Amino acid sequence: MQRIRLKWHKCRSHRQIALAIAVGVGTPSDVVARAERAGITCWQDVEALSEDELEARLYPLAVGSAARPQPPSPATIHLELRRKGVTLRLLHEEYILGNANGYGYTKFVELYNVWAERLRVVMRQVHKAGDKCFVDYSGKKPTIVDRETGERIEVELFVAVMGASNYTYVEATATQRSADWIASHVRLIEFLGGAPRAFVPDQLKSGVVIANRYEPGIQRTYEEWSQHYTTTILPARPLKPRDKAKVEGGVLIAQRWVLARLRNITCFSLDELNEHIAALVVDLNNRVMKRYGKSRRQLFDEIDRPELTVLPSDRFIHGDWSKAHVKLDYHVNVDHHDYSVPYQRATDEVEIRLSAATVEVYYKTKRCASHVRSFVYGGTTTDPAHMPASHRKYAEESDAGFEDWATELGPHTLALVRAILIERRHPEHGLRSCRGLKTLTRHYPGERIEAACERALAAGSRSYTNVESILKHKLDQLPLMDPVQADEATPAVDHENIRGAGYYH
């Protein structure tokens, strides 16, 4: 029909016809000759016949020959084309293997194309098995009711559709923010039982930070999520709804099949609303589609599921990314709490990943610090390994630490350290004095320090300065007398201004 229309109705040459419909130059000539032999001489004669009648006139069956077997239905061919590596040429070869008298490749393709031209524009894309999943939010939103105030609160409706099978997932979330967006994707992946090779979202801020027709900037956490599940993100072009036509149709179906059926149901929480939605989604996916004669679930099990990537054993944990400059004290402030990083990173710019349980700090894409998240407002979390040796030594000092050191030197050193720590008005004063005592070990042996501490205690002097003076003047090397002997050894003083005890009697 097409060849004759181009020849007699459009007045094209045989070469132009051959180029237009991609056939050999002799084919249009053969068709015209067959028509003339059948008594068809003009376009009006062709219009008066149906396609089947014209086919019978142009290609009459030889005597005793059997009728040509029909190829598979166009809908079956359309579904088979979604499988990985399947082409029309391959399907025709398989058709001819079982039907030697079947239609040639040109007629086979023509029969399919005539059927395909009747499809809606949004159905013309041929999606390969397990290749893409289209995701978006519905413009029309469901609501939940505050049980205490009776206020109706709008929530979001997340919709996802598999390209090849139209398998659909729907759920309600509180917002479109990154945490809800990623959480919906995690539940979607688990619903599918595997990951398709790519996800096609709209260029919303939760998924795309730089909207661009050619090289959009993927939001950091979204990109991290895709790497965790070994998939990729292919955002639709701005203002190009046909790039995500599957989910546009899926959103419309969700609005009609889910939202419309929930209009008279009152839900008081997201969990309650999602229970109703889940039941309706099961019914939606089990419905038989008239065009294909199969349900979405059947097509998903046959086409998409075998091609999905196996999920990792651990579930993705959402984290928000931000940037910060490390302070001179090698700490960064995250959510009103300071966390340490290696002191070498002081004043550097770093990236911070904040999850519900952890705080991770990255420098030039490499993680340099990790802490358990603290919710103490204005608090500080410091890892001693991040401190310089001198700072770490200073920070590790404590009463118990100095007492352990003093015990190694001797009982008099221990007694002096305890006296200093108890008598000082502020703990820091005591620690400083003990720190000074400890530095004396750099210049004097432990035996001399122990002897100096004994002499200082005997004299009632409890300070680092006194011990240092005793050591400097080598008084620790002199014999130490007890108090009674010291009094007896002291000579009586005879002076006219000295009155004895008898003077007062």
Side-chain angles (χ1 to χ4, degrees):
M1 176 76 80
Q2 188 178 16
R3 300 173 181 83
I4 297 176
R5 181 178 65 83
L6 291 173
K7 176 65 179 178
W8 287 342
H9 185 56
K10 299 296 183 180
C11 301
R12 302 296 172 85
S13 67
H14 290 172
R15 186 172 296 278
Q16 289 174 330
I17 295 171
L19 290 173
I21 60 177
V23 297
V25 178
T27 302
S29 176
D30 176 67
V31 171
V32 171
R34 285 175 175 273
E36 291 175 348
R37 286 198 299 269
I40 303 171
T41 58
C42 62
W43 178 245
Q44 288 74 14
D45 293 340
V46 175
E47 287 186 313
L49 300 173
S50 66
E51 289 191 13
D52 292 338
E53 292 173 339
L54 179 63
E55 178 79 11
R57 295 277 295 273
L58 294 180
Y59 301 95
L61 294 175
V63 178
S65 64
R68 289 188 177 181
Q70 290 294 319
S73 69
T76 301
I77 296 174
H78 193 69
L79 291 176
E80 287 297 317
L81 287 174
R82 298 183 180 186
R83 297 184 183 274
K84 190 175 181 179
V86 176
T87 63
L88 282 171
R89 176 69 68 179
L90 174 63
L91 294 176
H92 178 258
E93 290 176 357
E94 293 175 349
Y95 162 68
I96 289 297
L97 285 176
N99 303 279
N101 193 37
Y103 288 105
Y105 177 70
T106 301
K107 184 65 176 179
F108 183 88
V109 173
E110 182 182 342
L111 291 173
Y112 169 72
N113 286 338
V114 169
W115 177 87
E117 286 174 0
R118 300 193 183 102
L119 296 177
R120 298 189 305 274
V121 174
V122 294
M123 293 293 291
R124 285 194 176 177
Q125 299 182 57
V126 177
H127 299 286
K128 296 299 181 181
D131 186 36
K132 293 177 182 177
C133 182
F134 298 81
V135 291
D136 201 0
Y137 284 106
S138 167
K140 295 181 180 179
K141 304 178 181 181
T143 60
I144 58 176
V145 176
D146 188 308
R147 193 180 296 273
E148 295 182 359
T149 65
E151 177 189 2
R152 284 196 169 270
I153 303 171
E154 281 192 341
V155 294
E156 304 295 335
L157 192 69
F158 175 84
V159 182
V161 180
M162 288 297 298
S165 63
N166 292 314
Y167 196 54
T168 303
Y169 175 77
V170 184
E171 74 167 23
T173 62
T175 69
Q176 291 188 16
R177 289 196 290 267
S178 175
D180 287 324
W181 173 252
I182 297 299
S184 292
H185 278 70
V186 171
R187 290 187 287 270
L188 165 62
I189 285 282
E190 293 171 353
F191 173 80
L192 297 175
R197 284 181 285 277
F199 282 80
V200 183
D202 201 352
Q203 297 209 12
L204 75 167
K205 286 297 182 181
S206 297
V208 181
V209 292
I210 302 176
N212 187 282
R213 181 185 180 94
Y214 303 106
E215 294 183 350
I218 309 301
Q219 197 263 354
R220 180 67 177 274
T221 307
Y222 198 23
E223 179 68 27
E224 187 182 23
W225 172 87
S226 69
Q227 293 172 0
H228 181 83
Y229 288 109
T230 320
T231 183
T232 190
I233 310 299
L234 298 174
R237 295 170 296 172
L239 304 178
K240 294 293 183 180
R242 290 184 182 179
D243 285 4
K244 54 183 180 65
K246 278 285 182 179
V247 76
E248 293 287 342
V251 166
L252 184 60
I253 291 173
Q255 290 172 354
R256 293 173 178 174
W257 187 262
V258 177
L259 292 186
R261 286 168 168 78
L262 292 175
R263 67 187 185 280
N264 296 323
I265 298 177
T266 301
C267 297
F268 296 97
S269 68
L270 276 175
D271 291 340
E272 184 181 354
L273 176 59
N274 278 320
E275 286 181 9
H276 290 288
I277 290 175
L280 292 173
V281 169
V282 170
D283 290 340
L284 171 63
N285 286 323
N286 288 335
R287 288 179 61 209
V288 175
M289 294 182 287
K290 294 180 180 178
R291 186 174 301 277
Y292 303 112
K294 294 183 179 181
S295 68
R296 290 171 172 82
R297 177 174 292 280
Q298 287 176 304
L299 293 178
F300 176 74
D301 291 338
E302 294 175 7
I303 300 175
D304 279 326
R305 189 186 295 278
E307 300 297 332
L308 297 181
T309 303
V310 177
L311 298 182
S313 58
D314 56 324
R315 197 181 198 194
F316 178 77
I317 299 175
H318 176 270
D320 291 317
W321 288 86
S322 61
K323 293 184 178 181
H325 278 89
V326 181
K327 295 184 287 186
L328 284 173
D329 63 357
Y330 46 89
H331 284 70
V332 290
N333 188 270
V334 183
D335 196 22
H336 307 291
H337 190 96
D338 285 341
Y339 298 89
S340 68
V341 300
Y343 70 92
Q344 296 91 339
R345 301 279 71 83
T347 74
D348 287 337
E349 184 180 63
V350 294
E351 289 185 302
I352 300 167
R353 186 181 189 274
L354 179 65
S355 70
T358 61
V359 175
E360 298 171 285
V361 183
Y362 290 79
Y363 177 70
K364 293 184 178 179
T365 71
K366 292 185 178 180
R367 189 173 71 177
C368 61
S370 178
H371 298 276
V372 176
R373 184 174 180 178
S374 173
F375 295 92
V376 177
Y377 191 96
T380 302
T381 299
T382 303
D383 184 347
H386 295 159
M387 306 170 72
S390 58
H391 291 195
R392 185 165 56 250
K393 185 176 180 181
Y394 183 90
E396 289 172 351
E397 292 178 342
S398 65
D399 291 5
F402 282 118
E403 289 185 8
D404 291 341
W405 164 78
T407 301
E408 295 178 0
L409 267 67
H412 297 99
T413 306
L414 175 60
L416 181 61
V417 165
R418 286 177 173 173
I420 291 173
L421 293 173
I422 292 172
E423 292 175 359
R424 294 301 188 270
R425 297 180 62 182
H426 193 281
E428 183 62 27
H429 293 160
L431 290 175
R432 287 186 180 184
S433 294
C434 293
R435 192 178 303 124
L437 288 175
K438 195 173 182 179
T439 60
L440 294 174
T441 57
R442 301 175 186 171
H443 310 289
Y444 304 100
E447 296 81 3
R448 290 195 61 189
I449 295 175
E450 171 67 7
C453 290
E454 182 182 7
R455 183 172 289 275
L457 287 169
S461 301
R462 296 179 175 86
S463 70
Y464 153 77
T465 305
N466 294 120
V467 175
E468 182 189 38
S469 178
I470 291 170
L471 291 168
K472 185 179 294 185
H473 294 92
K474 300 182 179 180
L475 299 178
D476 60 292
Q477 298 177 358
L478 299 177
L480 184 65
M481 294 183 293
D482 60 49
V484 175
Q485 292 175 337
D487 289 342
E488 293 176 351
T490 302
V493 178
D494 186 14
H495 192 274
E496 62 180 0
N497 291 332
I498 300 298
R499 301 180 178 90
Y503 175 81
Y504 297 97
H505 297 286

